[in-house]
Amino acid sequence: MAQVTSATGTGSLRRATARTAVTRRGRRGRQGRANGWRITPWLFLLTPLALLATFTYVPVGNMFLYSVTSWDGLDPALEFIGLANYVEIFTRPELFRVFYVSLYYVAASVVQMALALYFATILSFSTRFRNVFKGILFFPYLVNGVAIGFVFLYFFQPDGTLDTVLHAVGLGDLSRHWLGDPDMVNISLAGTSVWRFMGLNFVLFLGAIQSIPGELYEASELDGANRWHQFRYIIAPGIKRIISLSFILAISGSLSVFEIPFIMTGGANGSTTFVIQTVEMAFTHRKVGLASAMAVVLLLIVLIVTWIQRRLIPDDEVNLT
């Protein structure tokens, strides 16, 4: 009888030990899966973070490093000169005078956004051939900037397309050397910029307008609202964030214009922008250190302007109900 009791106790002990082992394995398995889930997002982020650091933050760090040297772009050795490049920038008025040119592009960006918002609002309603007009308005943004530069170079040249049209409608007296006249060159270039980038703002505005629930329009129509009332009380508040974002992009782009004036005039006749001047400083005058300092100053100016815009136009929560 004692032997039977002993055997029964040994079996119970073995079963309890087995259950404990299974419980421990299950606990370790769950802990391992939990650790795996915690690591998985970082594994997905590893590649994009490495690319971001390699192609963005490392070059920016190098730019800050070059800005405190007198490097000419060729010498393998870097001579540290402290803040001398920054002192030179702020003590040479001609380096900052080119920012006056940016005012033309800032004004043009306001016109560009107003036109884009107008067309986006019109084409968000039921309009005949609206898909055709959407394609026409967005098409210039798809064209390469160099191609646009050459197209408008022929457009503005003496006796070119613009002068021909003016003569055809009896306004030949208005024709002039559009890119050779210092009073007109920046207006002409800013107009080209409006033609090219309006499509991007148009698509942003149109997408934001179409995300507004249609029930709001139906309710407003029942209350007797017309199109202007719908724009003022539904569309404009509903896309406030997109308008704010577009303003930030437009102003920062106006301060760093390069492509169109560089291709069409090379910065001649008073059309030099700050970026063109920076490029010339680096690759024509072989002053990469000074050019890097100018790039840093431009970056700080863009950040300050963006901060001011965010303070003036806070990103409030939009509630249309």
Side-chain angles (χ1 to χ4, degrees), residues 55-103:
F55 295 105
T56 301
Y57 294 116
V58 172
V60 170
N62 288 333
M63 182 179 69
F64 278 96
L65 173 63
Y66 297 148
S67 70
V68 292
T69 68
S70 60
W71 192 43
D72 60 359
L74 298 174
D75 195 338
L78 299 179
E79 181 183 359
F80 181 75
I81 59 172
L83 299 178
N85 287 328
Y86 293 96
V87 173
E88 182 175 352
I89 292 173
F90 289 102
T91 54
R92 290 177 58 181
E94 68 271 18
L95 295 180
F96 269 101
R97 194 172 297 133
V98 293
F99 273 115
Y100 288 116
V101 177
S102 299
L103 297 179

Side-chain angles (χ1 to χ4, degrees), residues 41-318:
W42 293 103
L43 293 177
F44 279 105
L45 288 174
L46 186 61
T47 300
L49 287 177
L51 293 174
L52 181 66
T54 303
F55 295 105
T56 301
Y57 294 116
V58 172
V60 170
N62 288 333
M63 182 179 69
F64 278 96
L65 173 63
Y66 297 148
S67 70
V68 292
T69 68
S70 60
W71 192 43
D72 60 359
L74 298 174
D75 195 338
L78 299 179
E79 181 183 359
F80 181 75
I81 59 172
L83 299 178
N85 287 328
Y86 293 96
V87 173
E88 182 175 352
I89 292 173
F90 289 102
T91 54
R92 290 177 58 181
E94 68 271 18
L95 295 180
F96 269 101
R97 194 172 297 133
V98 293
F99 273 115
Y100 288 116
V101 177
S102 299
L103 297 179
Y104 288 95
Y105 294 94
V106 171
S109 66
V110 175
V111 175
Q112 168 186 315
M113 292 188 57
L115 290 174
L117 184 58
Y118 171 77
F119 286 120
T121 303
I122 293 296
L123 296 180
S124 65
F125 298 117
S126 180
T127 308
R128 184 176 296 181
F129 304 122
R130 63 175 179 175
N131 289 331
V132 176
F133 289 119
K134 289 177 185 176
I136 292 174
L137 290 171
F138 185 63
F139 173 74
Y141 186 70
L142 301 177
V143 181
N144 182 273
V146 177
I148 290 178
F150 281 110
V151 167
F152 277 88
L153 194 60
Y154 296 121
F155 180 80
F156 286 119
Q157 70 178 359
D159 298 327
T161 306
L162 181 56
D163 287 347
T164 302
V165 172
L166 289 176
H167 283 290
V169 298
L171 299 175
D173 294 337
L174 297 178
S175 63
R176 61 190 65 195
H177 198 169
W178 300 98
L179 300 179
D181 186 349
D183 295 329
M184 291 300 302
V185 61
N186 289 312
I187 297 175
S188 303
L189 296 174
T192 305
S193 179
V194 170
W195 185 84
R196 186 190 178 195
F197 292 105
M198 187 184 69
L200 176 62
N201 294 120
F202 166 74
V203 169
L204 292 175
F205 292 150
L206 185 64
I209 292 173
Q210 290 180 341
S211 67
I212 297 175
E215 294 81 2
L216 294 177
Y217 297 108
E218 296 174 1
S220 65
E221 289 176 355
L222 292 176
D223 291 337
N226 56 27
R227 296 302 189 196
W228 166 248
H229 293 147
Q230 290 178 342
F231 172 79
R232 181 177 179 183
Y233 297 108
I234 297 177
I235 294 177
I239 64 172
K240 183 179 177 182
R241 288 183 174 179
I242 297 299
I243 294 175
S244 175
L245 173 64
S246 298
F247 259 114
I248 291 174
L249 295 176
I251 298 300
S252 62
S254 301
L255 295 174
S256 55
V257 172
F258 171 72
E259 195 175 49
I260 289 177
F262 185 77
I263 295 170
M264 294 180 65
T265 65
N269 303 320
S271 62
T272 301
T273 64
F274 193 77
V275 178
I276 292 178
Q277 186 172 251
T278 302
V279 172
E280 290 179 348
M281 194 66 72
F283 300 106
T284 303
H285 303 291
R286 312 303 307 176
K287 294 183 177 180
V288 176
L290 179 59
S292 300
M294 294 171 66
V296 172
V297 170
L298 178 61
L299 174 63
L300 295 177
I301 291 174
V302 170
L303 291 177
I304 292 172
V305 171
T306 303
W307 179 79
I308 293 174
Q309 281 184 286
R310 297 292 295 174
R311 298 292 294 178
L312 294 177
I313 309 175
D315 195 8
D316 296 332
E317 188 71 25
V318 177

